[in-house]
Amino acid sequence: MQQFLGKDLSVAEAKKIAKDNYLFREGDPADAMYIIKSGLLAVTKTKGQSEVSLAEISPGSMVGEMGLFDNKPRSANVKAIKETEVIALPYESLNKQLDQLPVWVRAILKNLNETIRESNKKLKQLETANADEERFPPHVINKLMSIFNFVCNKYGKPEANGVSISSVLLRNYTIQIFQEATNKMNSLVNALTELGFATQEDRGDGTQKIVNMKAAELFAFVDWHNDWIYKQEKDKKDPLTEQECKVLNALIHFAKKVEPDKKGLNKVSLTDLQNDSVKEFGQLIKPDDVNSLIEKKYLNEKIMDGSSVFVLLELPFVEPQANNWTLLNNLKRRLR
C-alpha cells in the first residue's frame, strides 16, 4: 500500500475505535478504506434483531476498499471486537493515485470489484433461500397443517362452504398447545386462502373467522405428505416439479374422457394432448413432456397403437399424487 501511495502519505489518518463500536454500518455512504494497524474488527450482517458474524479482520488487513471503485453504500457492518486502531485512506486521495495507473489496470481492478460484489449478492440470495427453506421444512408444513385440521375438526362450526373457527382459538392452540410460532400459522392460512382451501373474514374486533373449505383434502394431504417424508429413500418416488404437475394434471383431464380398460387403466393419446392442450390449458404440452413422469415412474412406458403414441394412466394412483404435489409446490412458493 505504501508503494501504491508513493510519497503522498499525508492522506492517511489514524483513527481509534473502542470495543463494540462501529467503524461503519451497512448502508452507510462509503468515503474511505482502512488498514488495520492494531486490534481486531468483525464484519457482520444484520439479521432481524441480531447480527451474524461473517469474518474477522486482523492487523495488516484492509477493509472498505470495494467502494473505491463504485461508491456504493457499505454492504456490511464493521465493528471492533476489541480496541482497534486503523489508518483511514480517503477515496478522494486514492482516486488521484488510481488515475496515474494505466487504463487497462484500472479496468481490471474495476472488473474484479464488480465480480466480488456480484458473488456476494448471489451468496446473500442463497442464504435467504436457505433461511426460507429452514423456516418451512416439510415436517413444519405438515405440523402446521395438522394443527389447523385438528382445531377445525374438533371445534369447527358447520358452514355452507365448510367449517369455521376463530383466529383466536387457532392462535392459542398453535402457540400454547403445540408451541409453534403464530406468524408461521398465519402464513399457512394466508397461503391456503390464496389457493382456495380456506377463507378469512374480519369480525371488526381484530379477529377473523376462518373457514376450512376442503378439510377432507387437507387431511388426505397430511397423511400423504407424512408418509412421503418418513419413507425410506429407496421407497420414495422423486418429487414432481410445478411443470410436471401441470403435465400430469393435463393427462388426468384427458384420461377422464375415456373409459378404463379391463385392467383399470385409462389410455391417453399424446397427439390429442398436444393438439388440444393450448385450448384446454392455455399452454402447449408436447409428447416429450411426459418423459420425466415416466422416468420417475408416475407413468408406464409409452405404447404404440397404430400410428399414434399413448400413455396409460392408473387414475386412483396418479390423481392423488398430482393433487398433493400441486398443493405442496404451491404452498412452498407462497411460504417463502
Side-chain angles (χ1 to χ4, degrees):
M1 178 55 65
Q2 182 172 343
Q3 184 178 5
F4 170 69
L5 289 172
K7 297 180 180 179
D8 191 9
L9 295 178
S10 60
V11 300
E13 177 189 351
K15 182 177 181 179
K16 289 188 177 181
I17 307 105
K19 180 183 177 182
D20 295 328
N21 283 8
Y22 288 84
L23 177 60
F24 53 75
R25 292 178 181 268
E26 183 177 356
D28 285 351
D31 59 0
M33 63 175 284
Y34 304 89
I35 299 174
I36 291 77
K37 186 176 179 181
S38 63
L40 190 64
L41 295 175
V43 180
T44 71
K45 292 286 284 186
T46 303
K47 190 172 185 180
Q49 301 299 315
S50 61
E51 286 184 68
V52 178
S53 180
L54 303 178
E56 293 185 354
I57 308 173
S58 54
S61 301
M62 65 179 67
V63 67
E65 71 280 4
M66 292 178 68
L68 173 62
F69 300 95
D70 54 23
N71 291 315
K72 289 185 178 180
R74 302 298 191 187
S75 59
N77 311 305
V78 173
K79 64 188 294 186
I81 297 176
K82 57 184 179 181
E83 185 174 332
T84 300
E85 185 175 3
V86 300
I87 305 298
L89 303 169
Y91 290 161
E92 183 178 359
S93 298
L94 292 175
N95 277 317
K96 293 178 182 178
Q97 301 293 323
L98 281 174
D99 289 341
Q100 298 175 22
L101 295 174
V103 173
W104 65 270
V105 174
R106 298 202 303 270
I108 290 174
L109 291 173
K110 185 176 181 180
N111 184 65
L112 285 172
N113 185 70
E114 290 173 354
T115 300
I116 292 170
R117 277 206 185 275
E118 187 61 27
S119 297
N120 288 340
K121 181 180 177 182
K122 289 180 179 179
L123 285 172
K124 185 176 181 180
Q125 290 172 342
L126 181 60
E127 181 186 62
T128 302
N130 288 339
D132 290 335
E133 210 43 54
E134 290 172 6
R135 186 166 177 251
F136 287 100
H139 72 278
V140 169
I141 292 176
N142 232 31
K143 184 177 181 181
L144 293 171
M145 189 82 80
S146 296
I147 296 168
F148 180 59
N149 283 338
F150 169 76
V151 176
C152 290
N153 186 58
K154 186 168 180 63
Y155 300 105
K157 297 178 182 179
E159 301 275 345
N161 58 342
V163 292
S164 67
I165 56 171
S166 162
S167 60
V168 175
L169 180 65
L170 180 60
R171 182 187 66 214
N172 289 344
Y173 261 83
T174 299
I175 193 168
Q176 295 175 2
I177 307 290
F178 293 98
Q179 298 183 349
E180 278 292 340
T182 54
N183 66 324
K184 291 184 181 180
M185 178 60 78
N186 291 340
S187 296
L188 175 72
V189 174
N190 289 338
L192 291 174
T193 301
E194 289 179 24
L195 294 169
F197 286 83
T199 62
Q200 298 179 72
E201 179 184 330
D202 286 330
R203 288 174 162 168
D205 58 358
T207 68
Q208 294 82 38
K209 179 176 81 170
I210 302 171
V211 178
N212 185 342
M213 300 170 62
K214 301 179 182 180
E217 289 184 39
L218 296 184
F219 271 113
F221 170 82
V222 167
D223 289 341
W224 166 83
H225 196 206
N226 186 71
D227 182 56
W228 188 86
I229 292 170
Y230 293 105
K231 264 185 179 178
Q232 300 213 359
E233 289 300 321
K234 64 182 179 65
D235 298 323
K236 282 185 180 181
K237 289 190 181 296
D238 290 336
L240 293 181
T241 65
E242 289 191 59
Q243 178 59 26
E244 287 171 337
C245 285
K246 289 178 182 178
V247 174
L248 187 54
N249 281 317
L251 288 167
I252 291 168
H253 171 80
F254 286 103
K256 288 181 176 180
K257 294 183 177 183
V258 299
E259 290 295 323
D261 63 17
K262 293 180 180 180
K263 295 181 179 179
L265 302 176
N266 296 62
K267 187 166 71 171
V268 176
S269 165
L270 296 183
T271 302
D272 291 345
L273 176 69
Q274 179 171 266
N275 292 340
D276 298 335
S277 58
V278 174
K279 181 178 68 176
E280 300 273 357
F281 299 100
Q283 74 171 85
L284 177 64
I285 299 176
K286 300 176 183 178
D288 285 347
D289 291 340
V290 308
N291 291 349
S292 63
L293 294 170
I294 294 171
E295 290 171 8
K296 293 181 178 182
K297 302 190 183 305
Y298 287 89
L299 299 176
N300 294 318
E301 293 292 334
K302 298 174 187 175
I303 59 172
M304 291 289 298
D305 190 348
S307 60
S308 298
V309 181
F310 296 82
V311 289
L312 298 174
L313 274 74
E314 186 182 348
L315 283 178
F317 165 69
V318 296
E319 193 165 13
Q321 296 290 335
N323 291 339
N324 289 320
W325 281 118
T326 298
L327 175 54
L328 184 57
N329 285 330
N330 284 330
L331 285 173
K332 285 181 176 179
R333 180 153 43 84
R334 285 165 173 79
L335 292 174
R336 287 180 179 173

